[in-house]
Amino acid sequence: MKKLLLISLSVLLLPACADKNQYEQAVLEQMQKEADIKDYKITPEYMTKCVVDTTSQNMPGIFAFDPTRMTAYRNYAKMLTLTNSTDPKKTLEELRVEFGSAKDLAEAHTNYTESLMECYSAVISESEKAAKEEK
């Protein structure tokens, strides 16, 4: 009985992990393109972790593997890769539907942008503090 429960739980969590990993990969690709990351000598992986953690706090869903949260991860990943789409207009319309409305899509983009700015601020502040402590 315990094995059956464990297998069932594993089957449910694997797609959830894939959705979050897909979002993390999309964020990492964005961070690798950011000039500020290079200028401030921040590793893209460190910034990715910060952005993913910060955006997740304002995503729908109660906990990390909530189905609503997994859908949000999938939608955010699609939002970040919109420019790579073969038909951006169609993808944008799909995103509006998947997020619920154009307003919800805009709020998701705002969440991502604000999280990015918060992470820049936090990481730069940390590096400045570390530089002062070295002196």
Side-chain angles (χ1 to χ4, degrees):
M1 184 68 175
K2 289 181 183 179
K3 287 182 183 180
L4 182 60
L5 181 62
L6 183 62
I7 291 170
S8 298
L9 186 60
S10 297
V11 169
L12 291 173
L13 292 180
L14 283 177
C17 291
D19 291 336
K20 185 174 182 183
N21 289 340
Q22 182 182 10
Y23 175 56
E24 288 173 345
Q25 184 61 39
V27 173
L28 179 61
E29 289 171 10
Q30 294 294 314
M31 295 305 105
Q32 290 170 337
K33 295 176 188 175
E34 287 282 328
D36 291 335
I37 297 281
K38 294 171 189 159
D39 293 344
Y40 287 108
K41 295 177 176 67
I42 304 168
T43 63
E45 294 79 12
Y46 184 76
M47 192 68 166
T48 296
K49 181 176 179 356
C50 180
V51 171
V52 169
D53 291 346
T54 307
T55 55
S56 295
Q57 293 172 4
N58 295 319
M59 282 183 181
I62 299 170
F63 53 93
F65 296 110
D66 184 327
T68 308
R69 175 75 51 94
M70 294 302 106
T71 301
Y73 283 136
R74 211 173 16 255
N75 291 341
Y76 272 66
K78 190 173 185 178
M79 176 181 71
L80 292 178
T81 58
L82 176 65
T83 56
N84 301 339
S85 174
T86 56
D87 188 357
K89 283 186 177 185
K90 180 181 176 190
T91 304
L92 184 60
E93 190 55 42
E94 289 172 1
L95 282 169
R96 287 182 183 133
V97 170
E98 289 170 4
F99 274 101
S101 69
K103 181 181 179 226
D104 292 336
L105 173 58
E107 287 175 0
H109 193 270
T110 299
N111 179 30
Y112 174 77
T113 304
E114 287 176 352
S115 296
L116 182 62
M117 293 300 110
E118 284 178 37
C119 288
Y120 271 127
S121 177
V123 170
I124 292 168
S125 178
E126 285 174 17
S127 65
E128 288 175 352
K129 188 182 285 187
K132 284 182 182 178
E133 289 175 0
E134 286 180 5
K135 290 181 181 181

